[in-house]
Amino acid sequence: MSTLENISCNRAFGGWHKRYRHTSSTTGTEMVFAIYLPPQASGSRKVPVLYWLSGLTCTDENFMQKAGAQRMAAELGIAIVAPDTSPRGEEVANDEGYDLGQGAGFYVNSTQAPWQSHYQMYDYITKELPELVEANFPVNDKRSIAGHSMGGHGALISALKNPGRYLSASAFSPIVNPTQVPWGQKAFAAYLGDDVEAWKAYDSCELIAAADANDRTPMLVSQGLSDEFLAEQLTPQRLKQAARDNGYPLVLEQHEGYDHSYYFIASFIEQHLKFHANFLV
């Protein structure tokens, strides 16, 4: 089991926000994640966990510092875990663009050089990190997952690819059809190669269309209608249609005037936490 190094510790709403560094066997690098432990996580009591996946260019700090999630998490008794968005370091492949390389792991397992050595983010977030968290903190095995933009993509595919592993999933402004939009096409061509069929394994629209009738994870998606990436990169109506066609329990909420920023996330994060609490608590 990886050794955890505590980087920082801050009291918040009766609980604790902590950041840790560890050597990942999955990515072959040092990885950083944050965890908020609510006040209920004390003594012998264990609490459920919401995993939060952030978007392009972000680290664990963006959500934890900007979303204002801790107050409601403390009230509901839910821990929040926020990993980084990619492996990092001098030895880790990178790109000049903000939408590929470090800070842009897209939560896939790369199969192509030079990325495959470290960019195994899907296995990291769905396997190694939960095992590490559950072995070292007062949490139980009740999990949900959420995210924003690229992280919304990661949250939805993680739930869809692992029926029963997450009790619920939600996303703000997710990239729902990456095989058909510029952000996804650039990243998938680099990480996964030229076989477009292989890309579909990480596409929420493809996964939700093919989901088995017995595999149903409740999902909530929030989208701002003033989001500058709405038409070209996000295309939420495609996910709504795929869910409708397959009878999948997806709720898509669209909000006038809201954009792609953390102002949007902060405005509705309490709703998302309460949504997850319906299944976790």
Side-chain angles (χ1 to χ4, degrees):
M1 181 62 67
S2 179
T3 300
L4 295 177
E5 175 191 354
N6 182 239
I7 302 171
S8 64
C9 184
N10 301 95
R11 192 79 162 151
F13 297 99
W16 291 96
H17 173 263
K18 301 181 179 184
R19 298 183 74 221
Y20 289 90
R21 180 184 295 114
H22 73 106
T23 300
S24 167
S25 60
T26 303
T27 67
T29 65
E30 287 193 335
M31 294 294 292
V32 172
F33 69 90
I35 183 168
Y36 176 70
L37 292 168
Q40 295 88 340
S42 60
S44 60
R45 181 174 179 184
K46 295 184 176 182
V47 298
V49 184
L50 175 66
Y51 288 86
W52 174 271
L53 307 183
S54 290
L56 290 167
T57 75
C58 291
T59 68
D60 64 284
E61 294 184 286
N62 296 75
F63 176 79
M64 289 301 202
Q65 293 181 4
K66 295 180 179 180
Q70 290 90 343
R71 183 186 65 81
M72 183 53 63
E75 181 177 321
L76 296 171
I78 297 173
I80 302 175
V81 172
D84 202 348
T85 52
S86 78
R88 299 180 191 267
E90 293 183 1
E91 77 284 6
V92 177
N94 203 5
D95 186 82
E96 292 181 356
Y98 73 95
D99 51 359
L100 185 68
Q102 296 186 37
F106 266 84
Y107 306 103
V108 304
N109 286 339
S110 177
T111 59
Q112 305 297 305
W115 312 100
Q116 82 274 29
S117 297
H118 303 295
Y119 285 79
Q120 303 295 317
M121 287 299 294
Y122 173 76
D123 279 353
Y124 177 72
I125 61 170
T126 61
K127 297 177 182 178
E128 182 179 8
L129 183 60
E131 290 175 3
L132 188 68
V133 168
E134 290 169 19
N136 287 277
F137 299 96
V139 302
N140 56 39
D141 61 359
K142 290 184 177 180
R143 312 174 202 91
S144 290
I145 193 164
H148 171 233
S149 193
M150 178 186 72
H153 144 77
L156 296 181
I157 65 163
S158 295
L160 288 164
K161 289 168 71 67
N162 297 277
R165 183 166 182 79
Y166 303 98
L167 299 181
S168 54
S170 74
F172 289 86
S173 317
I175 306 169
V176 301
N177 199 193
T179 62
Q180 302 300 317
V181 301
W183 273 342
Q185 290 169 340
K186 178 179 179 178
F188 285 10
Y191 297 144
L192 304 174
D194 297 330
D195 183 3
V196 177
E197 286 299 310
W199 299 4
K200 294 180 180 180
Y202 296 104
D203 186 301
S204 294
C205 286
E206 297 286 346
L207 292 168
I208 210 166
D212 186 89
N214 295 318
D215 297 335
R216 294 290 191 258
T217 302
M219 290 184 173
L220 170 65
V221 172
S222 294
Q223 176 64 60
L225 293 179
S226 292
D227 191 316
E228 60 269 40
F229 304 113
L230 177 59
E232 184 180 22
Q233 305 282 12
L234 306 179
T235 64
Q237 293 301 328
R238 296 179 188 175
L239 184 69
K240 183 178 181 180
Q241 186 62 52
R244 181 185 294 121
D245 291 345
N246 195 13
Y248 203 94
L250 170 80
V251 175
L252 171 63
E253 295 190 347
Q254 301 179 90
H255 300 278
E256 291 284 352
Y258 287 92
D259 58 19
H260 202 70
S261 72
Y262 266 83
Y263 294 108
F264 176 42
I265 297 171
S267 297
F268 295 97
I269 190 61
E270 290 192 6
Q271 177 199 9
H272 279 240
L273 287 169
K274 289 177 180 177
F275 166 76
H276 292 295
N278 290 329
F279 309 98
L280 291 172
V281 179

